[in-house]
Amino acid sequence: MIQITAFFCPQNQPEFFMKIFILLLNLSLLVSCNSNNNAGEIQNIPFKGVKECVNFSELEPYFHKDNDTTYLINFWATTCPPCLKEFPYFEKLSQEMKGKNLELLFINIDGKNHLEDRLFTFLDKRSIDLPIIALTDPNANKWTEAVNPDWYGALPYTIIYKKDKKKYFFGAFENYAQLEKEVLLSLSN
């Protein structure tokens, strides 16, 4: 325990500064641990099955699965008209490919401050039954580089992969047939 009288005793200056340092260090650790209890974990949000990911490193394993499943991962935002244009294609794909070895994941990047006014409002107006993760990691430069060094963050952005065969799609799919063709190609490999 720190004695307050020691703080004001001039002959104990080195000890005084060490005690101040330790006190500040403990306070900063206490504040950082309590302010972000589940940092880095993918957490359920009590809204239509949406999950929140506050640290991209928790999502990274989704990009490196090595099994016989084809994965489609789409980055989108509610403020992106091309993203919203292609959303019905993904909904149709989800219905038509049920039972196939296909896993879909939709990563919304509207941001932590816009979960309610953008994402939840958008989902509330539609009956979307797709797996959505709200990525609220603010370090976009780092995680876009981790996804693909050639991606500069433009939306929509889709990855279709199976094992080590990956295809990256910058921009929206023009129509459902184009999306279906790419998924079927990956499923057949």
Side-chain angles (χ1 to χ4, degrees):
M1 177 152 218
I2 298 173
Q3 295 178 352
I4 295 181
T5 55
F7 283 123
F8 302 105
C9 186
Q11 70 245 25
N12 291 332
Q13 283 183 350
E15 186 180 40
F16 166 75
F17 289 112
M18 183 56 85
K19 287 180 180 181
I20 292 283
F21 174 76
I22 291 171
L23 178 65
L24 291 174
L25 181 64
N26 285 331
L27 284 173
S28 69
L29 288 173
L30 180 66
V31 169
S32 67
C33 288
N34 287 338
S35 67
N36 226 353
N37 278 346
N38 295 321
E41 294 179 11
I42 297 176
Q43 306 163 30
N44 283 321
I45 297 174
F47 190 87
K48 294 193 174 191
V50 174
K51 297 181 184 214
E52 179 183 9
C53 179
V54 296
N55 187 330
F56 179 77
S57 64
E58 296 298 316
L59 270 179
E60 197 146 11
Y62 285 95
F63 296 85
H64 308 288
K65 295 192 177 194
D66 189 21
N67 55 40
D68 289 330
T69 300
T70 293
Y71 294 90
L72 183 149
I73 302 170
N74 176 263
F75 288 85
W76 67 287
T78 59
T79 55
C80 164
C83 299
L84 302 181
K85 177 186 174 244
E86 71 177 359
F87 226 85
Y89 308 152
F90 292 123
E91 290 178 290
K92 183 176 179 180
L93 182 76
S94 174
Q95 293 302 313
E96 292 193 3
M97 298 286 175
K98 275 193 181 188
K100 304 259 191 220
N101 223 5
L102 175 66
E103 192 171 316
L104 307 173
L105 179 63
F106 297 88
I107 301 173
N108 176 273
I109 61 169
D110 281 329
K112 180 100 176 153
N113 295 333
H114 296 290
L115 290 177
E116 289 185 29
D117 68 327
R118 291 185 187 164
L119 179 60
F120 296 170
T121 300
F122 173 78
L123 294 174
D124 203 32
K125 292 178 181 176
R126 292 154 185 84
S127 58
I128 293 172
D129 187 26
L130 296 170
I132 295 174
I133 292 182
L135 179 59
T136 58
D137 184 339
N139 198 349
N141 288 338
K142 186 176 178 183
W143 57 257
T144 55
E145 176 82 13
V147 170
N148 179 355
D150 294 330
W151 181 35
Y152 52 90
L155 297 176
Y157 185 72
T158 304
I159 303 158
I160 300 175
Y161 82 94
K162 183 176 181 180
K163 296 188 179 186
D164 63 343
K165 294 179 182 170
K166 290 187 178 183
K167 284 186 93 173
Y168 301 95
F169 300 89
F170 297 87
F173 289 95
E174 290 298 316
N175 52 48
Y176 176 75
Q178 181 190 20
L179 171 62
E180 181 185 43
K181 176 185 165 201
E182 294 297 339
V183 170
L184 291 173
L185 278 172
S186 183
L187 283 167
S188 66
N189 288 331

